[in-house]
Amino acid sequence: MIAWLQPRAQRYRFLPEGRWAGGALPWIIGMMTFLATLALAGGMALSNGAAALTGGLSRSFTVQIVEPNPDVKREQTAAIAAMLRARADLADVVVLGDAELRALVEPWLGSGNIGEDLPLPAMIDARWKSGTGDMAAIAEAVRAHAPTARIDTHAQWFRPLAGVVEVLRWLAVSIGVLVVATTAAIVALSVRAALSTHGPTIETLHIMGAEDRTVAALFEYRYAIQGLVGGVIGGLGGLAVILVIGNLLGQFGGGLAGEVSLSPLGWTALAAVPLLVALLTILTVRITVGRRLKQQL
């Protein structure tokens, strides 16, 4: 046993080691902690990724100028680009060149299938400096120069994916809650078995004048150690898997996968999971032992 725990262990030596049930309990708690860590990390990472991606997309929009006459289209594109660049609330106004436009449609038409005579709309990307501005005013100003122009806000294309991310986030939360409930139930069953095993010892302690809280303290100490050991094992395993997955997602470099990450507060929450598991174990033991001893009175 760990040296610094030895003095306290000597005080709680009344329950015989050889008859102590629950040798597999730390490993079970470790597995539950592993799953809880992954669920918590998944929920927080998806939430952060969706928020970052949605925030970036909501600040951007694209103006499409559809005009069959190339000369008119160039004039309209230049006028709209100049109007957008003159606004103080916009930044990064970029007119896409022909090569960039062809690269956008190649995945659908195939490489080499885009001829020079294929009419392509002119496109202008722009971004708000902060937040989102008045899109109605932008649309009115754009259509004053090009009545057939279209304005696409990038966030509208992300809404279906955002809904899926929200469902996955709540699924991760639900899994975490189920894991916590399962852990508490397993600990409660183990405590009941230990109470039955140590029934004669507990009865002797009561005869000697021990109160219920003294008996409960014996079990809380033993189970707190098992809960902490199992929590640390499961937490370290979960963090290792998270680091590997984070490294793989970082290779994408963009999109939702590139935005999925944990904040410093998120890493702190994951580091606190083993301690929370130990506290959950103590609370479950206290409630279970207290109820069982009251029933025996």
Side-chain angles (χ1 to χ4, degrees):
M1 183 175 292
I2 302 175
W4 65 271
L5 291 176
Q6 193 67 29
R8 176 175 284 270
Q10 290 298 327
R11 298 209 310 265
Y12 292 142
R13 65 185 183 277
F14 302 103
L15 301 180
E17 292 287 348
R19 297 165 56 191
W20 185 254
L25 185 61
W27 298 104
I28 297 175
I29 292 177
M31 289 185 285
M32 294 294 104
T33 305
F34 176 79
L35 295 176
T37 301
L38 293 183
L40 178 61
M44 291 189 299
L46 283 174
S47 180
N48 294 341
L53 194 57
T54 303
L57 291 175
S58 64
R59 295 173 54 190
S60 303
F61 63 90
T62 299
V63 178
Q64 297 184 26
I65 303 165
V66 183
E67 172 58 50
N69 189 319
D71 296 331
V72 175
K73 182 171 65 175
R74 275 193 296 270
E75 292 177 2
Q76 292 177 346
T77 302
I80 293 173
M83 180 271 296
L84 294 176
R85 290 187 178 113
R87 294 181 62 97
D89 54 353
L90 292 178
D92 300 334
V93 178
V94 179
V95 179
L96 273 66
D98 290 340
E100 294 173 297
L101 292 174
R102 295 180 187 281
L104 289 175
V105 299
E106 272 188 358
W108 287 270
L109 300 182
S111 179
N113 296 328
I114 305 174
E116 295 296 333
D117 57 343
L118 180 67
L120 294 175
M123 297 181 66
I124 304 173
D125 281 340
R127 183 174 58 86
W128 299 101
K129 288 184 177 180
S130 61
T132 56
D134 189 354
M135 289 303 304
I138 292 291
E140 183 178 356
V142 166
R143 292 193 176 100
H145 296 281
T148 60
R150 292 180 51 192
I151 299 179
D152 291 331
T153 56
H154 297 174
Q156 68 183 354
W157 305 108
F158 184 72
R159 289 193 187 102
L161 181 58
V164 174
V165 171
E166 186 70 11
V167 172
L168 292 176
R169 186 169 69 88
W170 282 108
L171 178 61
V173 172
S174 301
I175 293 174
V177 172
L178 288 175
V179 168
V180 169
T182 303
T183 303
I186 292 173
V187 172
L189 290 174
S190 177
V191 171
R192 290 179 181 179
L195 285 170
S196 299
T197 301
H198 296 288
T201 303
I202 295 173
E203 184 177 354
T204 302
L205 292 174
H206 277 148
I207 294 175
M208 295 173 60
E211 298 180 353
D212 286 349
R213 65 172 178 265
T214 303
V215 177
L218 301 177
F219 285 87
E220 288 174 16
Y221 169 73
R222 292 285 182 87
Y223 278 92
I225 297 300
Q226 296 189 58
L228 185 59
V229 170
V232 170
I233 293 173
L236 291 176
L239 289 175
V241 172
I242 291 168
L243 290 174
V244 172
I245 295 176
N247 183 51
L248 294 176
L249 291 177
Q251 297 177 8
F252 286 91
L256 179 60
E259 296 291 346
V260 171
S261 61
L262 291 174
S263 64
L265 181 61
W267 286 109
T268 303
L270 292 181
V273 168
L275 179 59
L276 295 177
V277 169
L279 293 177
L280 173 66
T281 303
I282 293 174
L283 180 61
T284 303
V285 171
R286 180 171 299 178
I287 294 174
T288 304
V289 173
R291 288 180 177 179
R292 178 58 66 91
L293 291 180
K294 287 181 180 180
Q295 293 174 358
Q296 292 178 354
L297 294 178

